[in-house]
Each structure stands twice: as structure tokens, then as C-alpha cells.
Amino acid sequence: MICKVTNKKIKPFMSFGRMPIANGFLKKNQFKKEYFYNLEVGFSKEISLFQLNNHPKPKQMFNKNYPFFTGSSKGMISHFKSYANWVKRKYISNLNYLIEIGSNDGTFLKNFKNTNVKTLGFEPSKNVANISRKRGIKTINQFFNFKNVKKNKNLKNKIDIITAANAICHIPDLKSLIKGIDFLLTRKGIFIFEEPYLGSMYKKTSYDQIYDEHIYMFSVSSIDKIFKKFGFELIDALEQKTHGGSMRYVIARNNIHKVNSNVKKKLKYEIKNNIHNLKGCLKFKKNCEQSKKKLLLKLKNIKTKDQKIAGYAATSKSTTILNYCGIGPEIIDYICDTTPEKINKYSPGMHIPIVSMNHFKKNMPYAAFLFAWNHKKEILKKEKIFNKKGKWLTHINL
Ligand code: TYD
């Protein structure tokens, strides 16, 4: 295996086995042609980077059928509003032009409407890009990479802020990404992005964060080291609650802005907790294996009592849990979800039927596996009847 940034050889330290596309919800007649790959992870000691080995090509995931819509969660809508307000509060005096990478349905950028800030989104999936355009948000339906970015000569060194959320870890070629950022940003320009945090994944053993779209699980140590290689520096790092624990990284050109003391503090924390080295990976591997055993036992105990189990929310994350642990329709009867594009299809790999929320209300199971555990608060608030009648379960301690 080759590190995608240093191009040096590294050894994969763990495999989650044969895996389908995480968001590849499919119809029965597509079962035979389903694509699988081996989900393996490795770690570059040089830049502390946790990464996938093989992964499907981005076009296999982000296309006209991409079924993920940021606006499907109230919690995320409100998070993006406060993210946008934070950007405005901190940077508005120098902010004329902002670009978002992976702008999805425009949930973040719509917060800049009715301001003087010009915005532009880069979104590779046509269906979600079109939703954003319908909302009046200027969107380029292309991947954000140097090749596509440099076509926009008029934007060279004109962008004050580039943002992203849960998008940078989806981009395999980080060098091309950074070249694109370098092309666009003004001298004082800032790049802000937030991603699921490796330290939170270790803490919770939430291995379901690992799937084809998440090519990297970043940490403060890795981001610090990667950007240093390209003339940029990490100037701040702020923890976020989203996706079960994320980190917001603030990047600038070298020696232009003050570096916040958070950076040093977080780097120290990561060294103390083995988040920057292979030791942390090996401990995580052991924890995953134990978690799998524990989960299968928990599910078996419910099934021997002939009780029904449903899945709640057909998340991308659930694909890793179901396929790694070998959980199919013999254990989980159905998975309910709010996304029309997923309903009446089957889950990738294990082929559990995806049904509407109405089906859940009419066929309440004994237990519901909360696959969207990161939206627990929002979901428990609306599932008052099931809270009383049924039992929630997850593979992690929340
Ligand atoms: P998320 O955890 O953001 O997904 P992923 O693992 O794919 O990043 O959850 C999004 C999915 O969860 C989406 O299919 C919609 C579904 N969902 C519900 O069905 N009901 C809900 O109340 C919420 C918040 C999400």
C-alpha cells in the first residue's frame, strides 16, 4: 500500500473485509452486478495519516444518483447556520468572495444569501448540485481539483475564504486539492474545513466512520504535517459535536496569521493519547474486533427470544457495520429512512430492505439499531412512542 500524500510504502494494519459502496443502495435486479472491494486501512507514520488502501473511484460514488442530502437532518441545518455565523463573525471585514468545496444541496451557502458576500459552490454530484442551483446558489457541478479549478482564471488569488464540511476526507488527491486552494486564495486568504475526528473515532470505537467516501480520518497532527509540506500552516483547531465528534481546521499561508494556542494544546493531547502514531491504530483494531463480538452476541440474544430488530436510518456508516459483522435480513428485518431515493431499495452488500418511516410506525420492532447515532438527540425527540415501547441499540456506548 502506498501513502496517498508521501507516495511511500506503508503496511495496511487492518481489514474490514469485502465491502460494497457505502451509499450504493440498490434494487433486486442489481444484486448480481454489485461492486465490492476490500476495505483495508493503513497509517503513514511520517505524516500521522490514517487512510484507506483501495477505494472505489470518486465517480462511482459521487454521481447523478448520490443519495445524501445535508438538509435531511435538522441538526445539520442548524449546525451549518452556526458554522456560517462563526465565519461571518470572525472574518466578515475581509470577506468578499467565499467558495465551498462539496456544497451539496446548498445548506451552508444559503446562509450567505442577503449578504454582500459572493459565493460559489463546487459539487460533483449532479442531483444535489441542481437542488442548490434551484435555491439560487451559484454551483459548479465538478470535482474540486487543480485541473478544474484552474479553468477559472478570473478567480486566481481572488478568494478570501474557502470552506468545506465533511468533504475533504472524500478527496483522494490532497496535493491537487491544495494546489487548487493555493490558486484561489488571496495572500491573507483562509481555508476552513471540518471533518470527523480520528480521536473521537478511537474514543468511541466508531469504526463505522470508515467507508469508501472517507478516504482519510484526519487528526490535528496529520493536518499540521500535510499542510506544512505545501507552504501552509494550521492556525486553529476547534472541536465540533457533528458526526459523533469532528474537528474544524483553520489553515493559512505560512507566517501571515497568528497561530492560536489551541493547535499546540491539541498536538500535545494527540501525542499523549497515541493519536499521532501506529500504537493508537493497533489498539483501535483490537477494540473493533471486541466490539464486533459484543454486538453479534447482543443481537443473537434478542433473536433467540424471537424478537424483531429494525435498523433506524440507512446511513453510509451502517454499510460498514452490517458488512464487517455479517448482519443481514435474518437479523435485521428492515431499515427505515426518510430519504425517498433510498426507500424501496436494499442496503448495500447485506440486502436488507429499506422502508419508509411510516412502515416503522406501523411495524414497531422490539429493538431498533440506531445507525444514525450521531443524530440521537434529534431522533429520540421525535420517536416518543418507540422510546416508551421499544429498545434502542447501537454498537457503541453513546
Ligand atoms: P448521517 O448520519 O448524516 O449519514 P451518513 O452516515 O450517511 O453520513 O444520516 C443521514 C441518513 O439518516 C439519511 O439517510 C437520512 C437518515 N435520517 C433519518 O432517516 N431520520 C432522521 O431523523 C435523521 C436525522 C436522519
Side-chain angles (χ1 to χ4, degrees):
M1 157 177 193
I2 304 286
C3 168
K4 282 176 251 301
V5 176
T6 63
N7 291 328
K8 291 189 185 148
K9 250 192 167 172
I10 47 177
K11 254 198 208 154
F13 68 87
M14 176 172 189
S15 169
F16 290 89
R18 188 172 170 265
M19 216 36 82
I21 303 272
N23 261 314
F25 297 89
L26 69 180
K27 300 222 169 95
K28 240 185 199 155
N29 63 8
Q30 296 172 307
F31 286 178
K32 273 197 186 143
K33 280 196 183 157
E34 194 170 11
Y35 173 86
F36 288 92
Y37 69 102
N38 184 16
L39 179 56
E40 267 185 336
V41 284
F43 188 80
S44 158
K45 288 187 203 164
E46 186 183 329
I47 50 166
S48 301
L49 184 59
F50 187 113
Q51 54 192 291
L52 298 193
N53 185 4
N54 298 314
H55 55 87
K57 293 221 161 57
K59 272 187 194 153
Q60 279 175 276
M61 302 178 272
F62 308 111
N63 49 44
K64 65 182 185 346
N65 299 318
Y66 188 54
F68 183 86
F69 303 87
T70 308
S72 72
S73 147
K74 277 190 193 152
M76 288 313 284
I77 295 174
S78 108
H79 172 73
F80 279 113
K81 195 172 171 188
S82 63
Y83 183 7
N85 284 340
W86 180 85
V87 170
K88 287 180 205 167
R89 257 198 328 272
K90 259 188 103 94
Y91 301 106
I92 202 77
S93 56
N94 276 320
L95 178 54
N96 297 305
Y97 209 146
L98 180 146
I99 285 184
E100 187 187 14
I101 304 174
S103 49
N104 198 271
D105 55 11
T107 301
F108 174 75
L109 289 181
K110 81 173 176 12
N111 295 298
F112 290 89
K113 275 181 127 186
N114 309 319
T115 70
N116 291 328
V117 180
K118 257 199 200 166
T119 67
L120 173 66
F122 271 80
E123 173 49 56
S125 307
K126 197 170 179 180
N127 56 336
V128 278
N130 282 343
I131 297 178
S132 163
R133 284 171 173 160
K134 272 189 199 142
R135 288 175 158 171
I137 294 161
K138 203 171 155 204
T139 309
I140 296 183
N141 175 214
Q142 279 175 358
F143 284 101
F144 184 97
N145 53 38
F146 186 56
K147 191 173 137 242
N148 289 335
V149 165
K150 73 173 182 205
K151 288 179 201 159
N152 303 280
K153 288 199 182 78
N154 56 323
L155 300 182
K156 190 167 191 308
N157 302 123
K158 289 281 184 314
I159 308 302
D160 305 297
I161 293 195
I162 301 177
T163 66
N166 317 310
I168 303 309
C169 72
H170 297 60
I171 300 178
D173 189 349
L174 293 180
K175 284 178 244 174
S176 169
L177 165 99
I178 298 172
K179 258 176 109 174
I181 287 165
D182 187 26
F183 179 90
L184 292 171
L185 280 185
T186 59
R187 195 177 78 88
K188 285 188 178 172
I190 285 186
F191 173 40
I192 310 164
F193 65 107
E194 36 181 71
E195 304 288 320
Y197 176 52
L198 182 69
S200 307
M201 181 178 86
Y202 280 176
K203 219 178 202 171
K204 296 192 168 82
T205 316
S206 46
Y207 61 82
D208 50 333
Q209 287 293 0
I210 300 169
Y211 56 89
D212 48 19
E213 293 178 22
H214 291 177
I215 294 164
Y216 304 104
M217 280 301 293
F218 293 123
S219 59
V220 179
S221 311
S222 59
I223 293 300
D224 182 54
K225 289 174 185 164
I226 294 167
F227 279 87
K228 264 190 186 142
K229 284 186 176 287
F230 299 94
F232 285 89
E233 63 181 348
L234 177 64
I235 59 168
D236 206 355
L238 301 126
E239 279 166 58
Q240 306 295 316
K241 287 206 174 92
T242 45
H243 292 282
S246 298
M247 191 68 75
R248 179 178 297 165
Y249 303 97
V250 185
I251 308 279
R253 297 186 192 279
N254 277 341
N255 307 319
I256 302 275
H257 294 275
K258 198 172 155 251
V259 178
N260 193 294
S261 58
N262 283 339
V263 173
K264 225 184 200 168
K265 264 190 231 154
K266 295 217 151 54
L267 288 172
K268 247 183 159 175
Y269 168 84
E270 293 192 351
I271 291 171
K272 196 170 165 215
N273 290 282
N274 293 314
I275 296 167
H276 72 306
N277 65 14
L278 187 64
K279 208 168 158 191
C281 298
L282 300 176
K283 179 148 183 257
F284 170 69
K285 178 184 176 189
K286 257 194 193 152
N287 290 344
C288 289
E289 288 160 0
Q290 273 170 11
S291 163
K292 175 177 174 176
K293 274 189 204 149
K294 228 167 103 181
L295 174 65
L296 288 174
L297 198 66
K298 201 171 357 177
L299 296 173
K300 201 173 139 202
N301 281 340
I302 300 177
K303 287 316 273 185
T304 47
K305 289 180 205 139
D306 214 19
Q307 310 270 31
K308 287 215 182 312
I309 308 173
Y312 194 102
T315 58
S316 335
K317 295 185 288 293
S318 66
T319 299
T320 303
I321 305 174
L322 296 169
N323 288 274
Y324 172 55
C325 299
I327 302 166
E330 67 293 343
I331 300 176
I332 293 193
D333 284 56
Y334 64 80
I335 304 172
C336 57
D337 197 277
T338 52
T339 316
E341 284 77 358
K342 295 181 185 176
I343 297 168
N344 293 329
K345 289 189 178 162
Y346 292 83
S347 75
M350 299 313 290
H351 303 159
I352 300 171
I354 313 296
V355 300
S356 67
M357 286 297 169
N358 208 18
H359 184 95
F360 176 71
K361 288 197 170 70
K362 287 188 180 150
N363 302 275
M364 283 207 173
Y366 165 79
F369 197 132
L370 186 57
F371 288 128
W373 52 268
N374 43 319
H375 301 294
K376 182 181 171 192
K377 223 167 136 192
E378 177 175 345
I379 292 171
L380 263 59
K381 206 167 149 193
K382 64 182 171 191
E383 293 301 346
K384 294 206 172 76
I385 300 176
F386 185 73
N387 291 343
K388 279 189 198 143
K389 271 187 169 175
K391 195 177 148 97
W392 289 106
L393 58 98
T394 61
H395 63 309
I396 53 176
N397 294 324
L398 285 173

